[in-house]
């Protein structure tokens, strides 16, 4: 196994263990600001919550590009505080209660975190109990679940748990697992892509043009951070780093070959930019796959749909169980880094 894979695994593990539900991303923000600044790159956080690192380019007068990786994760949001320490939540982003199963979740209170148990009720019941329907063919919905905290209303209020509080999977359930050259974990969706950004901040020395590495905020609830950034920063191109779902309906193979998207729910990506990335992949001898997918959007496709960027692409790595306990090949993640680094050189050669 590659030592590079070992380091990549460790970086993703550190990121995964920092909670970052959409709109309550403070834990990951502090880590990213520290990590980027330690690399000596210009770093700041904008008013939308994006953490941005700027790598100066060889041609300061040319239009810059941006590479985005969203730092927020899916989860739940508290709707109401019930009796006997029961807390009701609803989806935040594309989360489903059956993906998490019964187990520990964290409620990120304003003052401190309260752990509770995501609960669906007892199995040993008859049709007199609403839980019986869940044993047959009724889908499990957030309104069928609750969180047992065994805290009083006063204790929850002291912790700052209220309507709007974010819920995420408990940290001890998030610890990534190594399966040979694969990594398995919750929140690879965002944390593996952010790991790519951190590596690029270390490896990109003098790109052809000014390059913004953007750990974008609130992507799971509408690409809010990316839309803010692209509205205020003129760009020649935007490349989003993402997962790509593995499913029988898509001709995508599991393994180390990254995927370039041609279309998702928000529209088509720029064919010219995709060709440039394909050429970069060929130059560094990285195999690449192409796909059209559904039920999906990225910072890039959403920003292009709203007219904020003229050219956008999405470079992704094949992932099982997307928005669940995800599994991805570390080589596919590493190859995304190589493609972007080579693309930077490709721009220099063609400028």
């Amino acid at each position: 196994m590659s030592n590079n894979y070992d380091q990549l695994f460790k970086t993703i593990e550190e990121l995964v263990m920092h909670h970052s539900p959409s709109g309550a991303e403070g834990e990951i923000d502090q880590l990213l600001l520290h990590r980027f600044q330690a690399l000596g790159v210009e770093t700041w956080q904008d008013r939308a919550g994006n953490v941005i690192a700027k790598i100066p380019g060889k041609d300061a007068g040319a239009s810059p590009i941006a590479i985005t990786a969203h730092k927020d994760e899916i989860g739940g949001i508290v709707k109401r505080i019930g009796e006997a320490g029961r807390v009701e939540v609803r989806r935040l982003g594309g989360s489903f209660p059956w993906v998490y199963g019964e187990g520990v979740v964290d409620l990120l209170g304003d003052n401190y975190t309260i752990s509770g148990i995501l609960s669906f009720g007892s199995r040993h019941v008859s049709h007199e109990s609403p839980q019986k329907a869940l044993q047959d063919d009724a889908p499990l919905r957030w309104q069928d679940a609750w969180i047992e905290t065994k805290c009083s209303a006063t204790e929850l209020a002291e912790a700052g748990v209220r309507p709007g509080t974010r819920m995420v999977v408990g940290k001890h359930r998030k610890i990534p697992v190594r399966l040979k050259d694969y990594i398995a974990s919750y929140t690879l969706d965002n944390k593996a892509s952010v790991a790519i950004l951190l590596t690029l901040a270390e490896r990109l020395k003098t790109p052809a043009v000014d390059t913004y590495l953007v750990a974008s905020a609130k992507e799971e609830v509408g690409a809010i951070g990316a839309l803010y950034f692209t509205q205020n920063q003129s760009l020649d191109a935007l490349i989003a780093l993402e997962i790509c779902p593995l499913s029988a309906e898509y001709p995508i193979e599991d393994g180390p070959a990254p995927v370039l998207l041609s279309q998702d729910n928000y529209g088509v990506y720029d064919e010219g930019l995709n060709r440039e990335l394909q050429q970069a992949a060929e130059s560094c001898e990285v195999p690449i796959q192409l796909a059209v997918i559904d039920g999906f959007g990225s910072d890039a496709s959403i920003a292009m749909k709203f007219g904020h960027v003229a050219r956008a692409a999405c470079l992704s790595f094949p992932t099982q169980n997307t928005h669940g306990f995800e599994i991805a090949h570390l080589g596919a993640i590493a190859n995304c880094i190589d493609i972007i680094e080579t693309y930077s050189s490709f721009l220099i050669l063609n400028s």
Side-chain angles (χ1 to χ4, degrees):
M1 292 185 187
S2 166
N3 289 329
N4 289 337
Y5 286 6
D6 293 342
Q7 184 56 53
L8 185 56
F9 182 94
K10 289 177 183 177
T11 300
I12 297 170
E13 181 177 40
E14 182 181 25
L15 293 166
V16 166
M17 298 308 291
H18 286 71
H19 287 324
S20 60
S22 299
E25 302 161 31
E27 270 192 48
I28 199 69
D29 290 345
Q30 293 306 308
L31 175 64
L32 290 176
L33 288 166
H34 170 74
R35 289 290 299 269
F36 280 131
Q37 290 165 354
L39 293 170
V41 296
E42 182 184 359
T43 308
W44 69 96
Q45 187 165 24
D46 67 17
R47 290 181 61 81
N50 301 306
V51 174
I52 304 159
K54 181 181 179 182
I55 313 295
K58 188 176 181 181
D59 184 355
S63 295
I65 66 169
I67 316 295
T68 69
H70 70 90
K71 60 186 171 66
D72 63 315
E73 62 186 275
I74 60 172
I77 186 167
V78 174
K79 182 172 184 180
R80 65 173 67 92
I81 309 294
E83 297 179 356
R86 286 190 173 188
V87 176
E88 295 182 37
V89 299
R90 296 296 181 264
R91 65 190 296 166
L92 183 70
S95 64
F96 297 91
W98 49 265
V99 168
Y100 299 137
E102 291 179 326
V104 180
V105 293
D106 289 342
L107 295 165
L108 307 186
D110 296 328
N111 302 319
Y112 54 87
T113 296
I114 290 283
S115 291
I117 307 300
L118 182 62
S119 300
F120 308 146
S122 295
R123 307 297 95 78
H124 298 87
V125 293
S126 71
H127 288 86
E128 295 180 29
S129 297
Q131 283 73 39
K132 186 64 178 177
L134 304 178
Q135 297 178 26
D136 298 327
D137 56 0
L140 178 66
R141 304 163 301 175
W142 281 111
Q143 53 264 43
D144 302 315
W146 64 92
I147 299 169
E148 290 281 357
T149 67
K150 301 303 182 185
C151 292
S152 67
T154 299
E155 289 171 324
L156 290 171
E158 288 175 352
V161 174
R162 52 169 174 77
T165 291
R166 304 315 200 257
M167 177 219 83
V168 288
V169 177
K171 282 192 176 180
H172 79 279
R173 298 176 68 195
K174 280 185 165 182
I175 299 172
V177 175
R178 182 78 174 260
L179 303 173
K180 297 185 177 179
D181 285 343
Y182 289 80
I183 182 170
S185 173
Y186 285 115
T187 78
L188 288 184
D189 178 18
N190 61 308
K191 301 300 172 49
S193 297
V194 173
I196 295 172
L197 281 192
L198 287 172
T199 308
L200 288 171
E202 184 176 2
R203 286 168 52 170
L204 288 182
K205 301 303 182 185
T206 310
V209 299
D210 288 352
T211 300
Y212 294 95
L213 305 177
V214 183
S216 60
K218 298 184 281 290
E219 187 269 353
E220 294 288 3
V221 290
I224 293 169
L227 288 175
Y228 179 85
F229 176 78
T230 53
Q231 185 176 42
N232 289 280
Q233 175 63 59
S234 177
L235 298 169
D236 176 63
L238 173 66
I239 302 168
L241 298 166
E242 269 287 357
I243 55 168
C244 185
L246 280 166
S247 174
E249 68 179 281
Y250 307 130
I252 302 167
E253 293 184 2
D254 194 5
V259 182
L260 262 178
L261 300 187
S262 291
Q263 184 184 39
D264 64 25
N265 276 46
Y266 288 86
V268 295
Y269 289 94
D270 185 77
E271 284 295 306
L273 182 56
N274 272 2
R275 281 195 297 272
E276 291 173 13
L277 288 166
Q278 286 176 269
Q279 289 174 327
E282 291 172 7
S283 178
C284 62
E285 299 182 341
V286 171
I288 202 161
Q289 306 180 78
L290 299 173
V292 171
I293 65 174
D294 206 351
F296 184 94
S298 73
D299 281 340
S301 60
I302 295 172
M304 191 161 63
K305 178 178 180 177
F306 281 91
H308 290 195
V309 292
R311 304 198 308 146
C314 184
L315 180 62
S316 59
F317 45 92
T319 304
Q320 293 173 256
N321 307 332
T322 55
H323 276 188
F325 204 91
E326 297 162 329
I327 310 170
H329 197 289
L330 288 160
I333 300 167
N335 280 335
C336 287
I337 299 168
D338 290 341
I339 291 171
I340 297 296
E341 185 179 20
T342 304
Y343 177 69
S344 172
S345 300
F346 174 79
L347 285 176
I348 293 173
L349 291 172
N350 288 273
S351 61

